[in-house]
Amino acid sequence: MKEQLDYHLSKGTMALVPAKHPYYRSIIFDSEGTFLTIQSISELLERFYEGGSYLVYQDCLYVAVSNKGEEVVAFPTKEAHEEGCMWIFPKHIEKIKVFEKVKVFFKNAERLNTNCQPSAYEHMMKAYGQWERQKKNQEKR
């Protein structure tokens, strides 16, 4: 893992995980690598849509649009305010394996053991699929 003190969310962001470290606050899984940062997950998310907007789709899927028109979609593995909440960016998911919790395999071969219940994951991915279909239908118009 590399230190990245000034990280900006992008289309390459795959997951945000709270760091259990006295100095670093977040671990960032990105298509370019895995990074440690002193920024909290909420700071990373808020910084992305500062001057832009975000919406919550079906009570579980967060869609943020930056002031530059960039869009990222993510879902929390727990209630967003709960300690230990991870954020997963579903467009990067290759597959999952379900044990007691969900293990995510990303398209770039990274893996992440989450604290997400399988039923919650299923609900969030269903919402993501519906969001994607709705977005494509709007683009066709």
Side-chain angles (χ1 to χ4, degrees):
M1 279 188 255
K2 300 174 192 167
E3 181 179 71
Q4 180 70 289
L5 299 180
D6 191 32
Y7 183 83
H8 294 271
L9 294 183
S10 69
K11 292 182 181 207
T13 307
M14 303 183 316
L16 302 173
V17 178
K20 295 176 183 169
H21 190 275
Y23 178 68
Y24 299 109
R25 296 173 72 193
S26 304
I27 301 168
I28 302 157
F29 287 78
D30 188 283
S31 57
E32 301 293 319
T34 305
F35 305 103
L36 290 165
T37 186
I38 58 173
Q39 298 163 287
S40 70
I41 291 173
S42 59
E43 288 170 340
L44 290 164
L45 292 168
E46 289 169 10
R47 185 176 184 185
F48 178 80
Y49 67 82
E50 185 176 14
S53 63
Y54 81 97
L55 67 92
V56 180
Y57 182 76
Q58 292 192 3
D59 296 328
C60 66
L61 198 65
Y62 290 72
V63 181
V65 181
S66 74
N67 59 3
K68 297 175 186 169
E70 299 170 293
E71 179 183 276
V72 296
V73 179
F75 60 80
T77 58
K78 302 170 130 188
E79 291 292 324
H81 62 276
E82 280 187 59
E83 186 176 326
C85 178
M86 301 174 179
W87 287 80
I88 308 296
F89 295 71
K91 78 173 199 164
H92 296 285
I93 296 173
E94 176 80 26
K95 65 180 180 178
I96 66 154
K97 286 196 177 177
V98 177
F99 302 99
E100 279 186 38
K101 305 286 182 184
V102 173
K103 182 173 187 172
V104 175
F105 294 80
F106 294 105
K107 293 176 183 175
N108 71 348
E110 283 283 342
R111 298 174 183 171
L112 176 62
N113 290 317
T114 74
N115 53 12
C116 189
Q117 296 292 332
S119 60
Y121 175 82
E122 185 177 312
H123 174 70
M124 290 180 239
M125 287 306 289
K126 183 178 178 184
Y128 178 64
Q130 290 172 347
W131 169 260
E132 286 290 300
R133 284 189 296 282
Q134 181 180 358
K135 188 175 161 189
K136 285 179 185 174
N137 287 339
Q138 289 174 347
E139 289 172 358
K140 289 179 182 178
R141 294 180 191 166

